[in-house]
Amino acid sequence: MLEVSTSMPKTKKGLHTFNKICMSAEKLFHEKTYHAATINDIVNDANLGVGTFYIYFDSKRSLYRHLVLSYYHDIRKSIAEKTKDCKTRLECEKIGLRTFLDYVIKKPHAYTIIWQSLLVDRELFVDYYTSFAERYKKQLDESIEKGEVNPEIDTIALAYALMGISNFVGLETIFFHTDVLDEKRIDQIVDSVIIMLEKGIGN
Amino acid sequence: MLEVSTSMPKTKKGLHTFNKICMSAEKLFHEKTYHAATINDIVNDANLGVGTFYIYFDSKRSLYRHLVLSYYHDIRKSIAEKTKDCKTRLECEKIGLRTFLDYVIKKPHAYTIIWQSLLVDRELFVDYYTSFAERYKKQLDESIEKGEVNPEIDTIALAYALMGISNFVGLETIFFHTDVLDEKRIDQIVDSVIIMLEKGIGN
DNA sequence: ATATAATATGAATATCTAATCACCTTTTGT
DNA sequence: ACAAAAGGTGATTAGATATTCATATTATAT
């Protein structure tokens, strides 16, 4: 499923070059999209020869997979760490959403690059979201055991609904909202979602 | 913003050819993605010459735009019609979600083609979702007036959250769920979401 | 010090594809 | 019936791009 196939560099210099390629690719896949950003664009941006690229990656697609998998692990790790000490399901959701939004505000390219997987590598697209959803579902099932979540709710449907909320609220936050993003606005968004999860949308 | 630029055909025969192009493009953009599906693929599938394509569309991208805009109007129209007689906000959300799911089950290619807009035409991507969200927000604001929605909730955040729920629940329903899709399963998904919107996720 | 492994290069290759255009056929209105 | 408008064609063009490879430099371990 979600595995890395790249053979990592063996010296500090190699690692530095590897990272330069990743950073340039991140920037260009985000700005120009995967198909429009060429290997030449990437190595020019990184001040390297074309051949150097193929020392570190088998293909353009394997570089792309490497980026998506690293975002997957980063996002999961951040959320797991931050929600470690949460006492309730709702607190988990609040800190989880906040962590996700902070991550995509800091790294908006991660957002667009993951989104592109439907076009670049459909297997990766499916694996990415199903892996995320399965882990989420397990947590929700545990919360049902603890009596924190209504057992009438189907946890797979709920997992996707919650992922959808994070992703689309993130979409608005990063791409569509033209005003400056202050802490207050993000708090307001998170609070609105948590009210909904706590009491529903009504009065 | 969301406008069509295609000059429509002037005879029944022309309309028939136009529709054949659209149907083949829909199929191939869905199966192979926008970039991998060539104009040749499309006209071969439709049993037409390459030149014929350029009678009806300025470019590959203008065909793509035409498809996305037609989905936008279809989806909006379906939801507006079906929710016309709904008495409460919650009933609106229930019928709206059900209508959206029925639409994407019937036309799964619409789903993947819209998703691709981030890569194919970023302006269209932004217009598509912001237009949808603005209309949604207006309805939610009206519901606050009527006392049906908690005024503490930010309606723009809520609009995106609700769009995210539909889209990601749809994702699971169409792409990731391998079992057969029976009516019961869809009802269960819709009911789970509505419980959440009515009472929150807890007990 | 030197052999070996790792890293770096960019011109050349082989393949692909959106769009054009000059010419042909069919349909429509009068 | 017939001109004009609409529809249809596919070989050709012009440009692009992922990957290879022979060769060169640099780093590492003994």
Side-chain angles (χ1 to χ4, degrees):
Chain A
M1 253 187 145
L2 292 176
E3 283 145 24
V4 201
S5 63
T6 321
S7 59
M8 295 296 276
K10 278 143 195 170
T11 66
K12 309 105 218 174
K13 199 190 179 194
L15 188 68
H16 183 241
T17 306
F18 183 91
N19 288 331
K20 278 206 296 181
I21 294 171
C22 289
M23 285 167 66
S24 295
E26 251 179 348
K27 186 176 116 187
L28 293 166
F29 286 166
H30 169 67
E31 283 172 6
K32 307 179 66 168
T33 79
Y34 176 82
H35 284 100
T38 70
I39 302 289
N40 256 286
D41 291 337
I42 294 167
V43 293
N44 285 347
D45 188 88
N47 286 309
L48 297 166
V50 221
T52 311
F53 176 86
Y54 289 93
I55 295 171
Y56 298 101
F57 296 97
D58 296 341
S59 63
K60 190 182 178 185
R61 180 178 288 211
S62 94
L63 161 63
Y64 177 81
R65 283 184 75 91
H66 172 79
L67 292 178
V68 171
L69 296 177
S70 71
Y71 300 142
Y72 177 81
H73 289 115
D74 282 358
I75 293 173
R76 282 227 50 85
K77 204 178 141 202
S78 298
I79 295 177
E81 276 170 9
K82 295 274 185 180
T83 57
K84 188 164 44 74
D85 300 320
C86 290
K87 300 279 176 258
T88 64
R89 183 72 244 159
L90 224 56
E91 202 190 337
C92 253
E93 294 304 331
K94 183 172 184 169
I95 305 295
L97 174 59
R98 180 71 205 214
T99 307
F100 180 80
L101 292 180
D102 286 342
Y103 184 86
V104 293
I105 287 164
K106 209 171 64 190
K107 296 194 102 185
H109 42 259
Y111 202 95
T112 49
I113 290 170
I114 295 164
W115 192 280
Q116 296 184 44
S117 59
L118 177 68
L119 273 112
V120 178
D121 189 329
R122 201 163 287 189
E123 193 199 340
L124 183 63
F125 174 80
V126 173
D127 286 350
Y128 183 90
Y129 287 111
T130 53
S131 298
F132 225 107
E134 274 161 29
R135 283 170 176 258
Y136 216 149
K137 177 187 157 49
K138 270 181 202 152
Q139 291 186 25
L140 294 169
D141 285 336
E142 284 168 25
S143 296
I144 287 184
E145 296 294 313
K146 290 186 199 155
E148 287 189 307
V149 167
N150 185 340
E152 290 176 294
I153 298 175
D154 178 85
T155 45
I156 247 308
L158 182 56
Y160 277 95
L162 293 168
M163 284 166 62
I165 293 171
S166 298
N167 274 278
F168 271 66
V169 163
L171 208 61
E172 198 270 332
T173 310
I174 316 159
F175 294 105
F176 303 159
H177 202 259
T178 42
D179 302 359
V180 207
L181 261 178
D182 47 8
E183 284 289 308
K184 265 187 196 165
R185 175 69 189 142
I186 304 168
D187 285 340
Q188 190 188 17
I189 291 168
V190 173
D191 289 344
S192 292
V193 170
I194 297 305
I195 290 171
M196 178 178 92
L197 297 183
E198 191 175 1
K199 309 190 285 184
I201 62 173
N203 278 306
Chain B
M1 255 186 140
L2 293 176
E3 282 146 23
V4 201
S5 63
T6 321
S7 58
M8 295 297 277
K10 279 144 194 169
T11 64
K12 309 104 214 172
K13 197 190 180 196
L15 189 69
H16 183 242
T17 305
F18 183 90
N19 287 331
K20 279 207 293 180
I21 294 171
C22 289
M23 284 168 67
S24 295
E26 253 179 347
K27 185 176 115 186
L28 293 166
F29 286 165
H30 170 66
E31 282 172 7
K32 307 180 67 167
T33 79
Y34 176 83
H35 285 100
T38 70
I39 303 287
N40 256 287
D41 291 336
I42 294 166
V43 293
N44 285 347
D45 188 87
N47 288 310
L48 297 165
V50 219
T52 311
F53 176 86
Y54 290 93
I55 295 171
Y56 298 101
F57 296 97
D58 296 341
S59 62
K60 190 183 176 184
R61 178 177 288 210
S62 95
L63 161 61
Y64 177 81
R65 283 184 74 92
H66 172 79
L67 291 178
V68 171
L69 296 176
S70 71
Y71 300 143
Y72 177 81
H73 288 116
D74 283 358
I75 293 173
R76 282 227 50 87
K77 204 178 143 203
S78 297
I79 294 177
E81 277 170 8
K82 294 273 185 180
T83 58
K84 187 164 43 78
D85 300 322
C86 290
K87 299 279 177 258
T88 66
R89 183 72 244 158
L90 225 54
E91 202 190 337
C92 253
E93 294 305 330
K94 183 171 185 170
I95 305 296
L97 175 58
R98 180 70 205 216
T99 307
F100 180 79
L101 292 179
D102 286 342
Y103 184 86
V104 292
I105 287 164
K106 208 170 66 189
K107 296 193 102 186
H109 42 258
Y111 201 94
T112 51
I113 290 170
I114 295 165
W115 191 280
Q116 296 184 45
S117 61
L118 176 67
L119 273 113
V120 179
D121 190 328
R122 201 163 287 189
E123 193 198 341
L124 183 62
F125 175 80
V126 173
D127 286 351
Y128 183 90
Y129 288 112
T130 53
S131 297
F132 225 106
E134 274 161 30
R135 282 171 178 259
Y136 216 147
K137 177 187 157 48
K138 269 182 204 152
Q139 290 186 25
L140 294 168
D141 286 334
E142 283 170 24
S143 295
I144 286 185
E145 296 293 314
K146 290 186 200 155
E148 288 190 307
V149 167
N150 185 339
E152 290 176 296
I153 299 175
D154 179 87
T155 45
I156 249 305
L158 182 56
Y160 278 94
L162 293 169
M163 283 166 63
I165 292 170
S166 299
N167 274 278
F168 271 67
V169 163
L171 209 60
E172 198 269 334
T173 310
I174 315 158
F175 294 105
F176 303 159
H177 202 258
T178 42
D179 303 358
V180 208
L181 262 179
D182 47 7
E183 284 288 310
K184 265 188 194 163
R185 175 69 189 142
I186 303 168
D187 285 341
Q188 190 188 17
I189 291 168
V190 173
D191 289 344
S192 292
V193 170
I194 296 306
I195 291 171
M196 179 178 91
L197 295 183
E198 191 175 2
K199 309 190 287 184
I201 62 172
N203 278 304

